[in-house]
Amino acid sequence: MLKKIGLVAILAFIGYSLFTLGGMRTSSDFKGKLDSLTEVNDYLLIQNQIADGEIKAIERQDSIYIHDLENRKAKVIKIKEYVQVEINKIDNFTEQEIVSYLNQRYPKDTITNPLPVAQPVLTFVARDLAAYDGAKHEIVIKDSVIAIQESRITLKDSTITLFVNKEGRYKSIIGNKDQAISEWSKQYDNLNLNYKKLQVKNKFQKIGSYIIIGGLAYTLLAK
């Protein structure tokens, strides 16, 4: 009787071993790697979103500069038109009008050493003075235009830098996704290998179960 009990215990232990030992195993750091790659990509995407906001802000500022430039260019056109109108008036001045024009411009110098000068000379001088007045205003505006253009160049440089950094982050994201795919591929290969091992094990388990059942039946029925 004791031998039967011992044999039953041995067969039960063998059966337990066949049905419980082994199984599907996965890489212990697989999930940790994927979580780390996902976390890095999420951070890079957030940085790109921040960069998008900065780029939009730069575009808004550039639009302001463009509008300002258009206004200043319009002012230069008006100055040129005004100067041309003044020159046309000067061309039609009488002797008294041309003298009066110059006297009004230089009131302190009209009584010292007056000299006879031909009217055409005075007309040319008055024309040049009108053009000079316009040029002074144009220079101020054009200097400001240059300053604005330099500011726009600075904005463009900043935009280029932001886009280059965005491109670098996108490349990193793609690299991380490729790495994640590689990890998934390795995991699939490991699971596939384990699955094949389990198929073989399952066959042995079936054979073992038949042997155990037969052994138990024989042990219990044998006298």
Side-chain angles (χ1 to χ4, degrees), residues 58 61-66 68-69 143-159:
I58 289 174
Q61 182 60 50
D62 191 53
S63 297
I64 294 173
Y65 283 149
I66 291 173
D68 195 8
L69 286 173
D143 285 343
S144 65
V145 167
I146 292 172
I148 293 173
Q149 292 287 21
E150 289 176 349
S151 297
R152 289 193 68 204
I153 291 172
T154 301
L155 290 181
K156 294 296 182 183
D157 289 342
S158 299
T159 303

Side-chain angles (χ1 to χ4, degrees), residues 76-117:
V76 170
I77 293 174
K78 289 182 179 180
I79 290 172
K80 290 182 179 297
E81 292 175 348
Y82 175 79
V83 168
Q84 188 59 49
V85 169
E86 290 298 306
I87 288 175
N88 291 338
K89 287 181 180 179
I90 291 170
D91 288 339
N92 295 316
F93 277 170
T94 62
E95 295 177 0
Q96 292 78 13
E97 288 174 332
I98 191 67
V99 172
S100 175
Y101 174 84
L102 294 173
N103 286 341
Q104 290 176 4
R105 187 178 184 93
Y106 305 105
K108 294 182 180 180
D109 297 327
T110 57
I111 59 174
T112 57
N113 195 22
L115 298 173
V117 180

Side-chain angles (χ1 to χ4, degrees), residues 25-210:
R25 295 182 180 180
T26 58
S27 175
S28 59
D29 61 346
F30 171 69
K31 187 176 183 303
K33 287 182 179 179
L34 290 184
D35 289 343
S36 177
L37 290 172
T38 300
E39 184 178 351
V40 171
N41 280 352
D42 289 343
Y43 172 78
L44 293 174
L45 287 172
I46 290 173
Q47 293 302 308
N48 277 353
Q49 290 175 353
I50 294 173
D52 287 337
E54 293 176 349
I55 289 171
K56 288 181 179 179
I58 289 174
E59 289 174 347
R60 287 193 295 269
Q61 182 60 50
D62 191 53
S63 297
I64 294 173
Y65 283 149
I66 291 173
H67 181 70
D68 195 8
L69 286 173
E70 291 175 350
N71 288 337
R72 293 173 188 273
K73 290 177 181 178
K75 288 181 180 179
V76 170
I77 293 174
K78 289 182 179 180
I79 290 172
K80 290 182 179 297
E81 292 175 348
Y82 175 79
V83 168
Q84 188 59 49
V85 169
E86 290 298 306
I87 288 175
N88 291 338
K89 287 181 180 179
I90 291 170
D91 288 339
N92 295 316
F93 277 170
T94 62
E95 295 177 0
Q96 292 78 13
E97 288 174 332
I98 191 67
V99 172
S100 175
Y101 174 84
L102 294 173
N103 286 341
Q104 290 176 4
R105 187 178 184 93
Y106 305 105
K108 294 182 180 180
D109 297 327
T110 57
I111 59 174
T112 57
N113 195 22
L115 298 173
V117 180
Q119 183 178 351
V121 175
L122 295 178
T123 301
F124 281 125
V125 171
R127 286 169 56 91
D128 289 341
L129 290 173
Y132 170 73
D133 290 339
K136 286 194 300 183
H137 293 291
E138 283 188 38
I139 289 172
V140 173
I141 295 175
K142 289 181 177 179
D143 285 343
S144 65
V145 167
I146 292 172
I148 293 173
Q149 292 287 21
E150 289 176 349
S151 297
R152 289 193 68 204
I153 291 172
T154 301
L155 290 181
K156 294 296 182 183
D157 289 342
S158 299
T159 303
I160 291 171
T161 300
L162 289 170
F163 274 116
V164 170
N165 291 338
K166 277 188 65 179
E167 180 184 9
R169 284 190 286 268
Y170 276 125
K171 287 181 178 179
S172 297
I173 290 172
I174 293 172
N176 290 337
K177 288 187 177 295
D178 288 341
Q179 187 176 348
I181 292 172
S182 177
E183 291 295 330
W184 273 109
S185 179
K186 291 178 183 178
Q187 187 68 11
Y188 172 79
D189 292 339
N190 289 335
L191 292 174
N192 190 45
L193 178 61
N194 286 336
Y195 173 72
K196 291 180 180 179
K197 289 180 180 179
L198 286 176
Q199 284 182 315
V200 175
K201 179 182 177 181
N202 186 51
K203 292 180 180 179
F204 281 105
Q205 285 177 336
K206 288 181 179 180
I207 296 171
S209 64
Y210 295 148

